[in-house]
């Protein structure tokens, strides 16, 4: 039996859906850490000073359509890390596979392919299989599920930000909110737990004619203030 919808979420879901508010990001660190990647630099230069989920989704899909997987990934991470200053350094760890000396290290040769393969899997086989791939055969060093679900979301939201087939984000903020307000405790690193999370979102969304990612977006907003 699914958990009941928490009252605060009921209140939010009975209101008309609205897009996420834009927030300011800090370009300097991203430009510094990506200074050897011209296509990524071009994408960063093209972003406005304030971004939101819908805008980043559009840019990620455009970059993927042009075969620029690294710039698409970095764009997703700009949104994912928000205004946290350590985001660019941690994304550099992901791209290079090292922490010490990451700025001077080259991008690992397998990273673009693994990220591209994840896009193919999530689009062809759905959110759970996309998660399974990135947690196992398609694992990218230093890219944990809190952030690879952000990549999966932007790569799979093909029919709009609320696409019913898109992979919902599951990070610490969403996890902690669910634990506190709904009594739902998840191990966010495990595929079967992600499936359980998706089932909860689907059940709750069905009661309000919302897609799983719409429910996730509302929870994310309640948890972070970036609603």
């Amino acid at each position: 039996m699914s958990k009941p919808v928490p009252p605060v979420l009921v209140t939010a879901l009975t209101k008309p859906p609205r897009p996420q508010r834009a927030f300011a990001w800090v370009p300097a660190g991203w430009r510094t850490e990506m200074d050897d990647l011209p296509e990524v630099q071009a994408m960063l230069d093209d972003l406005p000073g304030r971004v939101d989920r819908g805008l980043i989704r559009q840019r990620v899909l455009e970059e993927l359509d042009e075969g620029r997987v690294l710039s698409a990934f970095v764009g997703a991470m700009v949104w994912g890390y928000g205004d946290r200053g350590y985001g660019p350094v941690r994304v550099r760890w992901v791209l290079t596979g090292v922490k010490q000396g990451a700025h001077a290290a080259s991008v690992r040769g397998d990273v673009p392919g693994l990220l591209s393969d994840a896009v193919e899997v999530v689009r062809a086989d759905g959110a759970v299989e996309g998660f399974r791939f990135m947690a196992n055969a398609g694992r990218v060093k230093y890219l944990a599920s809190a952030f690879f679900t952000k990549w999966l979301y932007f790569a799979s939201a093909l029919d709009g930000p609320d696409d019913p087939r898109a992979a919902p984000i599951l990070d610490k903020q969403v996890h902690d909110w669910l634990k506190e307000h709904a009594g739902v405790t998840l191990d966010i690193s495990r595929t079967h737990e992600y499936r359980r999370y998706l089932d909860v979102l689907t059940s709750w969304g069905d009661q309000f004619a919302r897609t799983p990612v719409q429910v996730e977006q509302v929870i994310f907003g309640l948890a972070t203030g970036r609603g």
Side-chain angles (χ1 to χ4, degrees):
M1 180 180 295
S2 177
K3 292 278 189 177
V5 185
V8 65
L9 186 57
V10 170
T11 300
L13 290 174
T14 54
K15 297 176 181 178
R18 57 185 176 85
Q20 181 199 33
R21 293 193 304 271
F23 64 90
W25 65 291
V26 182
W30 293 98
R31 292 188 176 121
T32 297
E33 292 300 328
M34 309 299 155
D35 63 357
D36 60 333
L37 301 171
E39 290 183 349
V40 175
Q41 288 281 349
M43 181 278 300
L44 293 171
D45 290 344
D46 195 45
L47 287 180
R50 299 180 68 84
V51 298
D52 59 31
R53 188 184 289 227
L55 182 143
I56 291 296
R57 169 194 163 271
Q58 180 181 4
R59 297 300 172 86
V60 168
L61 295 180
E62 288 171 354
E63 295 299 310
L64 286 174
D65 285 347
E66 295 298 323
R68 297 190 289 262
V69 66
L70 291 184
S71 53
F73 176 71
V74 173
M77 295 301 103
V78 166
W79 182 88
Y81 279 99
D83 59 1
R84 294 172 183 152
Y86 55 78
V89 171
R90 293 196 176 182
V91 172
R92 188 74 192 188
W93 295 351
V94 172
L95 297 180
T96 62
V98 298
K99 289 185 178 181
Q100 187 171 0
H103 179 71
S106 298
V107 173
R108 280 179 57 117
D110 61 342
V111 168
L114 289 170
L115 293 173
S116 294
D117 289 347
V119 173
E120 293 183 12
V121 172
V122 73
R123 289 179 176 180
D125 301 325
V128 173
E129 293 310 310
F131 188 103
R132 188 190 312 279
F133 176 78
M134 295 210 77
N136 295 281
R139 179 178 177 269
V140 177
K141 191 175 183 181
Y142 301 128
L143 182 59
S145 59
F147 285 90
F148 76 57
T149 55
K150 295 177 174 74
W151 174 238
L152 292 174
Y153 165 73
F154 286 114
S156 61
L158 298 176
D159 292 333
D162 304 329
D163 189 337
R165 283 183 49 82
I169 293 165
L170 177 55
D171 62 8
K172 185 178 186 301
Q173 287 77 23
V174 172
H175 166 275
D176 290 352
W177 192 95
L178 287 169
K179 182 177 180 180
E180 178 180 353
H181 294 276
V184 175
T185 302
L186 300 165
D187 179 346
I188 68 173
S189 67
R190 305 296 294 273
T191 303
H192 72 275
E193 294 281 78
Y194 185 76
R195 182 189 298 276
R196 187 160 70 92
Y197 167 64
L198 182 58
D199 288 344
V200 169
L201 296 184
T202 301
S203 173
W204 289 354
D206 286 348
Q207 298 174 51
F208 297 89
R210 300 289 189 95
T211 67
V213 292
Q214 284 182 303
V215 179
E216 172 263 302
Q217 181 176 342
V218 172
I219 293 172
F220 187 87
L222 291 170
T224 66
R226 286 166 55 187

